[in-house]
Amino acid sequence: MKVALVCPYAWDRVGGVQTHIAALKEQLTARGHDVVVIAPASFGAHLNGGISRAGRSLGIRANGSVAPLSFGPSGAIAVRTALARFQPDVVHAHEPLIPSVSLMATTLAHAPVVGTFHASAPSSTGYRIARPVLSRAVDRLAERTAVSDEARSLVETYFPGTYRLTPNGVDVAGFRDASAMDLGPGKKILFLSRLERRKGLEVLLQACTRIRDLDARVVVAGTGPEERGARKLARELGIDTTWLGRIPDGDKASVFKAADVYCAPARSGESFGIVLIEAMAAGRPVVCSDLA
């Protein structure tokens, strides 16, 4: 079967939706299906085979983060061209109502469309205001799925219907059997995420002032707008911190295996933190915020 997976966010950016789609592509391909990912990308980004670029991404503030989306005539033309060239049997649009390539694909596709919803929030002004227009896109979905109860609750508030629960998954063996990266001696607390306020790195750094007797080191993997402030805070608090920067996906499992504990002190905006199950798959204990 020919399957087009559509990602609304820049493919060259780290994110849970991109991770979900990449793993889904790998599994579908292993089962003998012909799969292409249609996604925007940053200017000059190099995309591997099986990825069809659909416009240039632009950062838009949303849900406590910056969403790298693509919209406008050039994106629509790219999506239409990619679908016409690939001729999919099914289109799987992730976040099909976000004004990016997923909404374009949902609207333009001739094949049946599966829509998967990832985001959660107390409410959505965008859904509320654009409900009359977006309802037509929802009606085009042959199947509606959501990755968590929270994600399902948000979308069905504005667009009632039947939503199958399809939780995020990871390649357990790949994380379980990985070799640990050499990050030096001593106990290590891992924070692996984009460095933005809602992910709560400063919460972890402040908490570490209360466990100095454990002589643990914080290992931070990731980059983002809060990095400069977080580095300054770590220095001011005297927290022993190693900054790895952005790590390739191929090294993620090894970083998890090198840690003694994984900490995800997110403040909000999480519907299903995929890094939590990645850490569990690697056999690491997890300390995380009590978010629904």
Side-chain angles (χ1 to χ4, degrees):
M1 185 164 61
K2 300 178 73 173
V3 182
L5 302 176
V6 189
C7 179
Y9 307 123
W11 193 248
D12 56 307
R13 287 277 297 275
V14 175
V17 175
Q18 294 94 319
T19 299
H20 176 113
I21 295 173
L24 184 56
K25 178 180 185 296
E26 182 178 333
Q27 292 299 317
L28 288 173
T29 300
R31 295 185 182 197
H33 300 293
D34 187 6
V35 185
V36 67
V37 173
I38 301 173
S42 304
F43 179 76
H46 174 73
L47 302 181
N48 296 326
I51 313 298
S52 180
R53 183 193 295 265
R56 178 180 174 182
S57 61
L58 178 67
I60 304 295
R61 291 195 174 277
N63 199 22
S65 182
V66 178
L69 307 176
S70 176
F71 44 86
S74 61
I77 292 171
V79 171
R80 187 190 301 273
T81 301
L83 292 173
R85 182 184 301 122
F86 187 60
Q87 291 291 304
D89 297 303
V90 63
V91 173
H92 188 169
H94 293 260
E95 294 292 11
L97 303 185
I98 286 181
S100 186
V101 298
S102 290
L103 180 58
M104 297 173 194
T106 300
T107 304
L108 296 171
H110 296 294
V113 180
V114 175
T116 292
F117 296 86
H118 296 259
S120 73
S123 62
S124 172
T125 301
Y127 279 175
R128 177 174 54 81
I129 293 174
R131 182 158 43 183
V133 175
L134 294 179
S135 291
R136 294 198 290 271
V138 172
D139 290 342
R140 291 182 57 86
L141 299 177
E143 288 286 348
R144 310 178 194 180
T145 76
V147 301
S148 67
D149 288 327
E150 289 298 298
R152 179 167 56 187
S153 176
L154 173 65
V155 68
E156 70 179 0
T157 297
Y158 301 91
F159 308 99
T162 300
Y163 293 82
R164 296 174 183 264
L165 194 62
T166 55
N168 289 319
V170 297
D171 176 9
V172 174
F175 284 88
R176 181 193 63 213
D177 301 336
S179 298
M181 180 180 289
D182 183 6
L183 295 179
K187 301 182 181 70
K188 291 170 283 292
I189 303 169
L190 176 63
F191 175 93
L192 190 155
S193 182
R194 178 168 165 76
L195 304 189
E196 54 192 18
R197 179 168 173 74
R198 69 176 183 139
K199 297 298 185 179
L201 175 56
E202 74 281 2
V203 176
L204 169 58
L205 294 174
Q206 290 164 354
C208 283
T209 63
R210 305 188 182 190
I211 55 169
R212 296 187 191 276
D213 57 309
L214 297 182
D215 195 25
R217 176 161 48 96
V218 176
V219 176
V220 178
T223 60
E226 295 296 316
E227 180 174 353
R228 184 176 179 180
R231 284 177 176 265
K232 181 174 182 290
L233 180 62
R235 289 195 300 269
E236 291 175 347
L237 296 177
I239 303 301
D240 186 7
T241 310
T242 298
W243 304 86
L244 300 182
R246 178 177 175 178
I247 59 173
D249 284 343
D251 292 339
K252 189 187 295 186
S254 296
V255 173
F256 277 118
K257 295 292 282 191
D260 293 282
V261 63
Y262 177 69
C263 186
R267 293 172 172 270
S268 63
E270 299 289 300
S271 68
F272 187 145
I274 199 168
V275 288
L276 303 181
I277 53 174
E278 289 175 337
M280 292 176 189
R284 302 304 90 182
V286 173
V287 176
C288 63
S289 302
D290 185 13
L291 301 179

